[in-house]
Amino acid sequence: MGSGFVAAKRGVDLLGGIALLVLTMPVQAAIAACVATTMGRPILFRQRRTGADGREFELLKFRSMLAGDAPDGERLTPMGRFLRRTSLDELPSLLNVVRGELSLVGPRPLLPEYLPLYDSQQRRRHEVRPGITGLAQVSGRNLLSWEEQFRLDVEYVDTMSASMDAGILLRTVAKVWRQEGIAAAGDATRSRFTGRNS
């Protein structure tokens, strides 16, 4: 992975992120109004995630759940289910792309509390900037086991290229259109990672 490719990838992220933010502004404004009407405020869901080299950042998404201590599946609203099913909840993450915290393509950013649970191979997913979508997301998304997701994350780190990124973006559009792999059985999204054999 040469420095030239990394710089070019960041350039594509910056230009693509800005363009997509501008193009989706009317949609995001409508979603914000719907979220405020059906769930109240705050409109955005903010959560600490782990980025490149283990650095933390605040991920932005549209809120899809009501506040409370109930299980995720019980707090997920009909509007929230629609946003997740269509991946429209991810649109605010384009701001993370513009700020340089996310890439359009890369391993999905996970919770900081998972960091001590990774083995040395799994930790390699943090050698690159995380992404809104990635190889694992187009290969099964939340239906994958954690072991399989991390294997695909490291495969991406080892083989990333412009053509691979383009292919992942195209496959992402198809996955979103077909609304595949949104949730693991028994979970609103997927179970938590608890270690090597999760």
Side-chain angles (χ1 to χ4, degrees):
M1 180 174 55
S3 59
F5 171 70
V6 173
K9 181 175 171 67
R10 175 60 191 145
V12 170
D13 286 338
L14 182 59
L15 293 175
I18 291 172
L20 288 170
L21 266 178
V22 172
L23 289 172
T24 61
M25 275 302 174
V27 175
Q28 294 202 50
I31 293 172
C34 289
V35 170
T37 300
T38 60
M39 286 177 268
R41 296 182 182 274
I43 292 170
L44 294 180
F45 171 74
R46 302 168 183 267
Q47 188 177 57
R48 302 300 295 177
R49 296 291 178 95
T50 308
D53 301 318
R55 294 190 300 270
E56 290 186 26
F57 69 97
E58 188 175 65
L59 181 71
L60 304 174
K61 299 173 73 172
F62 280 118
R63 184 176 167 209
S64 60
M65 294 184 185
L66 298 171
D69 298 323
D72 287 357
E74 295 179 17
R75 295 188 294 116
L76 191 62
T77 67
M79 178 66 185
R81 289 185 188 279
F82 169 77
L83 291 177
R84 288 192 177 193
R85 192 171 64 245
T86 57
S87 294
L88 290 172
D89 62 322
E90 306 272 2
L91 289 178
S93 299
L94 289 168
L95 184 58
N96 292 116
V97 174
V98 173
R99 296 195 306 213
E101 298 155 339
L102 280 182
S103 177
L104 292 174
V105 180
R108 283 288 292 173
L110 299 175
L111 299 171
E113 64 197 64
Y114 292 169
L115 273 175
L117 303 176
Y118 299 142
D119 62 27
S120 59
Q121 186 72 358
Q122 293 168 344
R123 198 169 291 113
R124 294 193 57 225
R125 69 193 307 278
H126 294 296
E127 292 177 9
V128 300
R129 189 177 282 114
I132 290 181
T133 187
L135 183 59
Q137 281 59 55
V138 298
S139 302
R141 202 173 172 181
N142 289 326
L143 302 182
L144 296 175
S145 68
W146 283 111
E147 288 286 315
E148 184 64 8
Q149 174 173 330
F150 293 143
R151 185 190 68 77
L152 290 167
D153 288 344
V154 174
E155 180 180 331
Y156 175 79
V157 170
D158 288 337
T159 60
M160 58 190 293
S161 66
S163 60
M164 173 178 274
D165 280 8
I168 288 172
L169 287 171
L170 289 173
R171 290 169 65 187
T172 297
V173 173
K175 287 281 184 180
V176 169
W177 180 260
R178 294 195 295 264
Q179 300 176 9
E180 294 178 344
I182 297 165
D187 292 285
T189 51
R190 72 179 306 175
S191 60
R192 297 177 71 82
F193 178 60
T194 57
R196 175 73 183 179
N197 296 316
S198 294

